[in-house]
Amino acid sequence: MLTELHIQQLGVITESRLEPAPGLTAVTGETGAGKTMIVTGLGLLLGHRADPTMVRTGAEQARVEGVFTGLDDVATRLSELGAETDAGELIVARQLRTNGRSRAWLGGVAAPLGTVAGVVGELATIHGQLEQVRLGTEERQRQVLDRFGGKPVAEVLERYRELFELRRSVDKELNERVENSRERAREADLLAFGLSEIERVDPQPGEDTELATRAQRLQAMDDLRMLAQEASHALSGADDGDPDDPGVVGLAGIAVKNTGRIAEMDPQAEALGEQLNQLGLAAQEAAGALASYVAGLDADPLALETITTRRAELADLTRKYGENIDAVLDWARDASERIEDLGSDEQRIEALRTRRTQLDEQLHHQAEVLHGLRVKAAQHLASGVREELGALAMPHARLEFRLEPLELPGPWGSDRVSLLFSANPGSPLAPLAKVASGGELSRIRLGLEVVLAGSDPGHTFVFDEVDAGVGGQVATEIGRRLAKLARHSQVIVVTHLAQVAAFAERHYVVTKSSDGLVTTSDVELVSGDQRLHEIARLMAGSESDKALAHARELVVDAAGTQN
């Protein structure tokens, strides 16, 4: 329920505040006074498109705030969004700037417009001329019927839509696999060719790095031998034992011999002798190892040629399949897995076809259940609306929801829902949008909402000139029907008919004034004599004693029929 509406700098309204009644609230005023801005403000809270020209002339921005209660149906959503409520009240705000930028807040939290619309749309609904146009569409007629069907329809429809989306994803994958089977076969052949090349060469992990090292050694064999021989000569001395070229080993031997003689004369030099003895042994070991290394340096042209040939084969693989042999082997593993996946196409296609058949059967079952619920709901809803239309001076009106099978199941079931209407005896039923006048559409829409209110209590309904195109006794009945709807839900009606306004629990009047340059509208709550004067103006265009007496009688009669 909307407990407060605050509008600032919107259209001709500088600042106005409304506190609608829990039941029926009427908004009246002269043509052009700005009544539409009340509905426009509510529309902004419901996520309607914002037009920068709505901002009042001379202002930089417009702002609308609404306070809602009765939040049970949206409590979970509000919690997920982090929106705050205070004593069960939710504040929704919308700001519109002249540069076209628009922002919205939900419980103090900035939120995308679509999110705000989804939440507030559960709390309030606006019915204007656009809604009358929408009522003529099959989509809207199906929505109305499903809404009347309540929780049973909603639960079946939710399960149906889950199955429908799953079936659509299965069908998409199946079509892609069937359509791309040739491309997938070509891909498998290319991968198999690559694997055959790799298998023929049979590379080993790290083999390219190892061969590069061996090739480098063989190519540098002469330099290695020369350097190793020079190092060996430095350690071992001349091969012929020339005492003038003893090398490190010979010099170390001399040093050990001399320190031994020193130790005989000076015991303190024993440690020095031991150190030099270790040095000599190390030099001998190094000389032996170096001699073995030199002996192993054997130039092998055939080995180098073999390595060069092998490296060329590996290079051909790395050029095609990876930056090194390890990457090539990774590619081969991935290719094998991909070939296995591609090779399972037929099995996967068959599995998908089987799954699609299963889903078709489940969808068919859910569609049948949904159809049965809709048929039952259609009968009750049409009957209830016909009763309401009879009270709205359309005693011969006939209304029928027709359900016809779709060629293929759609996202909302397998029913094509259409609302057929006939206003006069003998006239055949025909689609509502083609045969109903504007006044008839208004009454049908009102009749639907009165019947639907029983399945959606606590909702806020806003009617923008629902009485357009009617008058007299019909207008009185519209007022009575709105009052009936207001027993279950909150109703706000913008009207120009006294017969409708007379039924309101709370009455606001929109008035305009001008200083010759700028027009300003104000919204004022009226009661007592002020309200009688407004109703008299609506009826007679004047506030004469006779008009006032008629207004008083109208208000008393309206109050009496509601009790």
Side-chain angles (χ1 to χ4, degrees), residues 61-83:
Q61 66 180 32
R63 185 178 177 89
V64 182
E65 290 186 359
V67 180
F68 290 89
T69 59
L71 309 175
D72 292 346
D73 291 342
V74 295
T76 301
R77 185 70 172 129
L78 292 175
S79 177
E80 292 173 350
L81 295 170

Side-chain angles (χ1 to χ4, degrees), residues 227-251:
L227 293 171
Q229 288 174 345
E230 288 180 356
S232 179
H233 179 83
L235 283 173
S236 301
D239 292 338
D240 58 1
D242 184 355
D244 293 330
D245 187 11
V248 172
V249 173
L251 293 174

